[in-house]
Amino acid sequence: MAARLKPGQGPLDYGSRLWLKILFAVVLLFLYAPIASLIAFSFNVDKTGVWHGFTFQNYIKAWHNDAIFNALSNSLAIAFCSTIFSTILGAMTALALWRFKFPFKTPFEGFLALPIVVPEICMGVALALFYSKTGMMTAVRDWIWPLNLINIIIAHIAFSFPFVAVVVRSRLVGFNRQLEEASKDLGASEWQTFTNVIVPFLMPSLIAGGLLAFTLSLDDFVITFFSSGPNSVTFPVKIYSMVKTTITPQINAASTVLIVITLLATFIAMKIQAPVKTEKS
Amino acid sequence: MDYWKDFRKVFFTLMTLGSFWMLLFFVVPMGFLFVLSFSSKAIVNGETSILDYNYFSTIANYVDAAGSSYLVLLGRAVLWSAIATIVCLLLAYPLAFAVCFSAPKWRPILLLLLILPFWINLLIRTYALIQVLRTNGFLNQALGFFHLPQTDILFGTSAVIMGLVYVYLPFMVLPLYSTIEKLDKSYLEASLDLGASQPRTFWSITLPLTMPGVITGIILVFIPCLGSFLTSDLLGGPNNWMIGNAIQNQFGEANNWPFGAALSFILMYATFFVLFVRAMLTRRSKGVDA
Amino acid sequence: MTDPIVSIRNVSKRFSGGVMAVDNVSIDIAQNEFFALLGPSGCGKTTLLRMISGLDSPTQGQIMIGGEDMALTPPNLRPTNMVFQSYAVFPHMTVMDNVSYGLRVTGVAADEAKRRTIEALEMVKLEHLAERKPDQMSGGQRQRVALARALVKRPKVLLLDEPLSALDAKLRDGMRLELTRLQETVGITFIIVTHDQDEALSMATRIAVMDKGAVQQIATPAELYEQPRTRFVADFIGKVNLIDAAVLGQNGKTANCVAAGLGKIEVGTDKTCGDKATIAIRPEKLKLSTAEPKGASLIKTKATIRDVAYYGDTSHVVADIADGQHLDINVQNNSRVGGSGFDRGQKLWVSFDPQDALLLTE
């Protein structure tokens, strides 16, 4: 602890402390070096992990590698379907919790949080058991794409929609119910009020919640791993099996594509949420 | 707020689908798992059946689970999760502090940098870490470049803990950031002004007032660490199993689902116990929230 | 002045954005003074106070406290204590623990700390609430805790940052009296930051008026009101009529000028003026009369009343004079009948003694 202040600096200007800056830099290196090298080596000519030159070959190969391509398109299809349903379900649940008083409301809220707190692996094996005992695991096997992924989609909706509900509900806190009353007073029906007043107000949180559901779905490995049948491999599951056997730069290439997609979704979500913050302040 | 009976139609329209989904695809599967954990494989025609079980027939699975080798896995999971959580806390607290006390225009960018990796797929991140840590990975290449001794930490305990920290650090940063940001800086100034040194101010004022964030961060990191199996599977290998790996194994290669179900419930009880402790702690420290 | 307890010498503070929050300020504050830093928000008064406490440090200059340069000494090693605007009473400690905090962390023996804590609580009349937590107390009570907590340390200087701004109007008046009483009892130098001129005028022995990071004038309350040195000070302290004037010539202690709406007049001054100046005159020093006032030395002009606002004890009159100018005039309502006795549109005379007017050059 310096016994003297630096000219112009207060004792609480921790942001300018050298050791904190160094720690920050080291942690950022720890967080980003692996990802950066993963991306860098997706452009590597060689597969041994030693840099031999720049190429797009891995991307082209990954695109033509049926296993990787299918896994990636499965992941995106699942994320897409799960996002739509989770957003609708989450928004409805949030609206109900925001608008109504009903018996056992607090336990119900705790119950909704269960998929968030229960270890993923437990939910995964429970769903695996459920699907195999009810025959759903085998029943969907030969359905046409993407319906053969329905089990995974169902699982993803189950763990995503409570998150969406949380996001939408926090937006609803700022809603002025007099707007709703004004709309009804002016002769709008419940449904007209909903589509003309409430939905536009909720739009930023619906998009943010939807993008959250999208990234949660793309991110999930554990539950997918257990609830997927042998023919419905998602991208993370594919990487898992390949990591266990062989590592190829094609995986780096496909990973890079997925990273770019998720980061784009995240940035869009943040851009959309940002004005909400300034509105409140 | 409206009472549900006054708007039955609206209420049921909004509630039914979500409740149905949770019931059918969460509660019922958990129920199946619960029943299975008290079941044994049926003997059909003198042979152990693959698909049939004698339901609610035994508590042997729990008795077996209490056997030393599995308790070791749970204990290991608790220990490693605790170490990873502490490392996360020690890293995240100063980082969150630095972000909160930096210039306002930098704050969102610095925070984003710390939590951005959270959005990247867990498997991709673990895979990236493997590429760094493996014998001829980037770490050793870098060490070789500087003529430093090589390390071989992949498939060891330290790799698992490093992986857990790597994966869950953002979960610690977020709650800490939001409590420290809400903390009124004049409390710290008052403490310094009254003669307390910086460390004293930290222990007497800053830490107690940010305790809710610390507890939330600990929970958010500890619980997923406890149930993780991917990190220990890929970075630790077969000698470094945690309880999650045992569950996966019973539902996979070992193919003893009832036993796996019992292990799952033990893991869930452990998780709920942690949440219970947190509830107790927050009740005790009520009113301390800054 | 005897040796000052706080001596601020050429202190500047530049924020990282390049803004000069405090610009080359020098102030000496004597032992036992009740000193006020007064100015509009953003004038640098709080930054200056924080630099005295050590919560900020100057980019340039010296801050001598008790004869020692402490510009870069951390706050915990300074003989100053602060009462924060938000009070900053620690929410996780009882009143007792809050007040004894500063003693405990500096190693004062437990029994002495306890004795002094109780003493301090008695001083602010809070001994019956010693075991309360801050969230069970009113704003006024929390402020007393903050006061006791700072005073218990027996600092050489007590710093108060807008201490009354968070209180409601009734409590504020009581607290003003109490602060002056406390200052007299404990005999500690008080430095108070405020944007409220009434607060500064009624409590402080001396006031530094600040604007845009610089000190405009340091003087006693009466001096500030009657002898403002600059336009800014005249305008900021109380109400004033500011009249632009062109200086024609100076003759010893009087200046001949042409003032807007008043014509050619003579005003006393002890400074040498350039060719432009401002005549300042307080509204209560102007007189209204229906007949032309007598007296050769009086400055007088014809006026038409634009507006009258009745305030009970006084009435505020706005009167139009020549050149499109207008004057604000305060009239005492000495009679029970007839209100102010003036009506809108009425034509009459405004006059004042040139000794009551002030020629401002800055």
Side-chain angles (χ1 to χ4, degrees):
Chain A
M1 203 53 50
R4 292 183 78 72
L5 303 168
K6 280 192 202 148
Q9 263 181 29
L12 293 182
D13 284 339
Y14 299 113
S16 48
R17 294 283 165 86
L18 186 66
W19 71 272
L20 273 177
K21 283 182 179 167
I22 292 172
L23 181 70
F24 213 99
V26 169
V27 169
L28 286 189
L29 187 75
F30 170 63
L31 286 178
Y32 286 98
I35 297 168
S37 58
L38 178 136
I39 294 174
F41 277 80
S42 72
F43 297 105
N44 191 8
V45 172
D46 190 73
K47 24 174 146 180
T48 57
V50 180
W51 186 257
H52 278 276
F54 184 88
T55 177
F56 279 113
Q57 269 305 311
N58 298 316
Y59 286 85
I60 296 161
K61 275 191 207 151
W63 181 262
H64 290 293
N65 181 331
D66 282 348
I68 292 179
F69 183 82
N70 287 340
L72 200 53
S73 50
N74 280 351
S75 277
L76 289 172
I78 292 165
F80 187 71
C81 299
S82 156
T83 300
I84 291 173
F85 284 99
S86 311
T87 311
I88 296 170
L89 269 183
M92 282 165 63
T93 312
L95 278 165
L97 287 171
W98 166 73
R99 178 161 168 189
F100 292 109
K101 256 191 279 213
F102 54 90
F104 304 110
K105 186 173 173 178
T106 315
F108 182 77
E109 285 171 301
F111 166 68
L112 267 186
L114 274 180
I116 301 176
V117 296
V118 161
E120 279 185 302
I121 193 168
C122 298
M123 187 165 165
V125 297
L127 279 166
L129 176 68
F130 175 75
Y131 288 149
S132 75
K133 279 283 124 187
T134 54
M136 282 171 75
M137 192 72 94
T138 46
V140 302
R141 191 179 295 168
D142 301 319
W143 292 5
I144 64 157
W145 191 87
L147 283 179
N148 57 347
L149 305 170
I150 192 90
N151 290 340
I152 306 175
I153 296 171
I154 287 173
H156 284 205
I157 296 170
F159 70 71
S160 300
F161 92 86
F163 282 98
V164 179
V166 170
V167 174
V168 175
R169 225 182 145 188
S170 66
R171 167 93 184 161
L172 275 168
V173 170
F175 182 71
N176 181 355
R177 278 210 75 179
Q178 285 178 351
L179 294 177
E180 198 187 344
E181 283 159 13
S183 162
K184 285 183 190 164
D185 180 62
L186 294 168
S189 67
E190 188 88 46
W191 176 250
Q192 284 170 323
T193 304
F194 177 73
T195 53
N196 293 326
V197 178
I198 297 180
V199 170
F201 176 80
L202 286 184
M203 203 36 92
S205 68
L206 291 179
I207 294 172
L211 287 166
L212 177 64
F214 187 76
T215 40
L216 280 174
S217 170
L218 277 188
D219 195 32
D220 183 70
F221 164 73
V222 179
I223 292 172
T224 314
F225 179 71
F226 286 103
S227 55
S228 60
N231 290 340
S232 45
V233 172
T234 66
F235 186 68
V237 175
K238 181 73 197 166
I239 305 183
Y240 179 71
S241 62
M242 290 184 80
V243 168
K244 289 242 148 177
T245 50
T246 46
I247 295 181
T248 91
Q250 288 173 43
I251 293 277
N252 293 38
S255 299
T256 305
V257 171
L258 200 64
I259 290 174
V260 170
I261 294 172
T262 11
L263 291 190
L264 270 179
T266 313
F267 275 118
I268 294 169
M270 282 175 186
K271 278 276 173 250
I272 290 164
Q273 269 188 317
V276 180
K277 272 185 191 160
T278 47
E279 241 169 66
K280 275 181 192 161
S281 66
Chain B
M1 222 179 267
D2 296 326
Y3 191 56
W4 70 282
K5 274 188 179 167
D6 303 338
F7 296 88
R8 271 170 206 263
K9 248 201 235 157
V10 182
F11 178 72
F12 283 118
T13 316
L14 291 176
M15 286 288 284
T16 312
L17 203 51
S19 315
F20 166 79
W21 209 277
M22 280 289 288
L23 214 59
L24 191 59
F25 300 116
F26 186 77
V27 179
V28 171
M30 284 296 170
F32 274 40
L33 195 67
F34 186 73
V35 172
L36 192 70
S37 71
F38 289 101
S39 308
S40 60
K41 291 195 170 185
I43 311 287
V44 180
N45 303 330
E47 282 185 36
T48 314
S49 163
I50 302 168
L51 288 170
D52 295 311
Y53 302 97
N54 292 326
Y55 295 109
F56 272 131
S57 59
T58 176
I59 55 159
N61 298 315
Y62 287 95
V63 176
D64 288 351
S68 60
S69 63
Y70 290 97
L71 271 191
V72 166
L73 295 187
L74 182 63
R76 188 186 278 168
V78 170
L79 180 69
W80 290 0
S81 303
I83 295 174
T85 308
I86 290 168
V87 174
C88 280
L89 182 64
L90 293 180
L91 286 177
Y93 202 102
L95 293 178
F97 220 75
V99 175
C100 289
F101 283 87
S102 58
K105 61 171 179 179
W106 285 103
R107 255 174 246 168
I109 298 163
L110 294 175
L111 182 68
L112 185 66
L113 277 175
L114 287 178
I115 61 169
L116 197 59
F118 158 73
W119 299 101
I120 296 171
N121 188 294
L122 170 67
L123 217 109
I124 293 179
R125 280 187 288 161
T126 313
Y127 170 62
L129 207 53
I130 291 175
Q131 290 194 317
V132 170
L133 297 183
R134 69 199 157 108
T135 317
N136 48 7
F138 310 135
L139 177 65
N140 278 336
Q141 287 180 28
L143 289 174
F145 183 80
F146 293 108
H147 302 289
L148 291 165
Q150 305 276 299
T151 62
D152 197 11
I153 59 172
L154 189 63
F155 304 129
T157 309
S158 48
V160 178
I161 290 172
M162 197 166 164
L164 291 174
V165 172
Y166 184 68
V167 168
Y168 295 113
L169 185 65
F171 287 137
M172 186 65 92
V173 172
L174 262 186
L176 284 177
Y177 172 80
S178 62
T179 36
I180 296 173
E181 211 227 346
K182 267 189 280 170
L183 176 72
D184 187 347
K185 309 297 176 285
S186 58
Y187 293 134
L188 315 192
E189 295 183 338
S191 170
L192 291 172
D193 181 69
L194 289 166
S197 61
Q198 293 267 12
R200 180 71 199 239
T201 298
F202 177 77
W203 288 111
S204 299
I205 308 295
T206 318
L207 191 58
L209 289 179
T210 51
M211 215 25 136
V214 173
I215 294 174
T216 307
I218 288 176
I219 294 295
L220 285 187
V221 173
F222 187 78
I223 285 184
C225 280
L226 200 59
S228 72
F229 85 95
L230 194 67
T231 313
S232 44
D233 185 17
L234 295 182
L235 296 174
N239 296 328
N240 290 292
W241 272 14
M242 290 160 68
I243 181 118
N245 304 95
I247 296 173
Q248 189 219 353
N249 184 252
Q250 295 304 324
F251 277 85
E253 282 163 40
N255 197 19
N256 187 353
W257 289 29
F259 185 53
L263 290 176
S264 298
F265 269 90
I266 290 173
L267 174 59
M268 270 189 271
Y269 294 141
T271 307
F272 288 131
F273 177 74
V274 175
L275 287 173
F276 171 77
V277 171
R278 171 207 151 101
M280 288 295 110
L281 281 177
T282 30
R283 180 169 302 174
R284 234 186 51 188
S285 67
K286 217 175 192 176
V288 170
D289 202 341
Chain C
M1 193 186 280
T2 51
D3 278 348
I5 183 83
V6 175
S7 176
I8 296 161
R9 297 185 187 165
N10 306 97
V11 163
S12 294
K13 162 98 181 168
R14 186 192 290 278
F15 281 136
S16 50
V19 181
M20 282 303 257
V22 172
D23 194 357
N24 197 19
V25 164
S26 296
I27 302 175
D28 281 339
I29 298 165
Q31 193 93 36
N32 274 344
E33 261 197 291
F34 197 131
F35 195 90
L37 295 168
L38 175 65
S41 60
C43 71
K45 57 190 191 299
T46 298
T47 308
L48 189 59
L49 191 80
R50 289 169 58 85
M51 288 195 288
I52 301 172
S53 75
L55 296 172
D56 262 319
S57 64
T59 33
Q60 249 168 23
Q62 287 177 306
I63 296 176
M64 315 287 292
I65 303 171
E68 194 184 333
D69 183 10
M70 293 202 165
L72 298 177
T73 306
N76 47 317
L77 304 177
R78 295 194 190 197
T80 60
N81 284 112
M82 174 114 121
V83 175
F84 288 79
Q85 182 171 16
S86 62
Y87 314 141
V89 175
F90 304 130
H92 59 304
M93 295 183 189
T94 60
V95 169
M96 188 80 185
D97 291 342
N98 258 289
V99 176
S100 63
Y101 183 82
L103 301 174
R104 285 184 284 134
V105 295
T106 42
V108 173
D111 49 338
E112 198 203 333
K114 194 172 177 195
R115 188 179 52 74
R116 278 169 64 179
T117 301
I118 292 170
E119 226 173 74
L121 283 174
E122 280 167 357
M123 194 158 58
V124 296
K125 304 184 192 106
L126 275 182
E127 62 275 24
H128 59 293
L129 298 180
E131 294 310 316
R132 286 269 179 97
K133 283 272 187 79
D135 57 354
Q136 306 160 325
M137 308 180 81
S138 69
Q141 289 170 329
R142 261 180 281 170
Q143 176 166 55
R144 286 155 188 275
V145 177
L147 255 174
R149 186 176 69 176
L151 285 172
V152 78
K153 295 270 297 174
R154 297 179 188 154
K156 287 186 180 154
V157 183
L158 184 75
L159 310 168
L160 301 110
D161 184 10
E162 300 271 8
L164 305 179
S165 64
L167 298 178
D168 58 53
K170 243 186 181 169
L171 269 173
R172 210 177 295 171
D173 288 343
M175 203 63 201
R176 248 190 239 178
L177 293 174
E178 191 157 339
L179 278 179
T180 17
R181 178 189 65 86
L182 257 179
Q183 201 265 334
E184 279 159 20
T185 342
V186 295
I188 290 174
T189 309
F190 278 30
I191 303 178
I192 184 174
V193 155
T194 177
H195 65 274
D196 182 332
Q197 39 150 325
D198 291 341
E199 224 168 273
L201 292 175
S202 63
M203 291 196 289
T205 49
R206 276 198 315 151
I207 299 171
V209 180
M210 291 182 71
D211 183 41
K212 294 184 185 128
V215 171
Q216 298 279 322
Q217 186 171 5
I218 303 173
T220 62
E223 251 174 62
L224 273 185
Y225 190 77
E226 303 296 355
Q227 303 288 328
R229 217 175 53 80
T230 66
R231 271 182 88 114
F232 176 83
V233 175
D235 200 24
F236 191 75
I237 311 270
K239 279 192 168 179
V240 73
N241 292 295
L242 293 173
I243 304 154
D244 290 326
V247 181
L248 299 175
Q250 211 165 348
N251 180 12
K253 293 229 159 185
T254 56
N256 286 318
C257 25
V258 179
L262 296 173
K264 228 172 163 180
I265 54 172
E266 277 188 5
V267 185
T269 180
D270 48 7
K271 287 169 288 200
T272 42
C273 338
D275 47 354
K276 281 207 167 161
T278 303
I279 293 170
I281 176 119
R282 300 280 180 200
E284 72 274 12
K285 302 203 160 111
L286 291 171
K287 301 212 167 39
L288 285 171
S289 51
T290 41
E292 185 173 351
K294 297 197 169 66
S297 63
L298 284 186
I299 295 171
K300 49 199 168 187
T301 178
K302 281 186 180 168
T304 312
I305 294 185
R306 187 204 292 177
D307 241 323
V308 181
Y310 181 71
Y311 282 90
D313 54 343
T314 60
S315 290
H316 295 183
V317 176
V318 182
D320 289 315
I321 54 173
D323 299 344
Q325 301 286 311
H326 65 87
L327 294 171
D328 290 331
I329 304 135
N330 277 8
V331 183
Q332 286 288 327
N333 299 330
N334 293 329
S335 163
R336 271 189 65 198
V337 283
S340 65
F342 299 105
D343 293 317
R344 210 177 285 183
Q346 197 180 346
K347 299 208 189 299
L348 32 60
W349 289 86
V350 181
S351 61
F352 61 93
D353 189 328
Q355 287 191 342
D356 288 334
L358 207 64
L359 199 68
L360 300 175
T361 53
E362 285 175 46

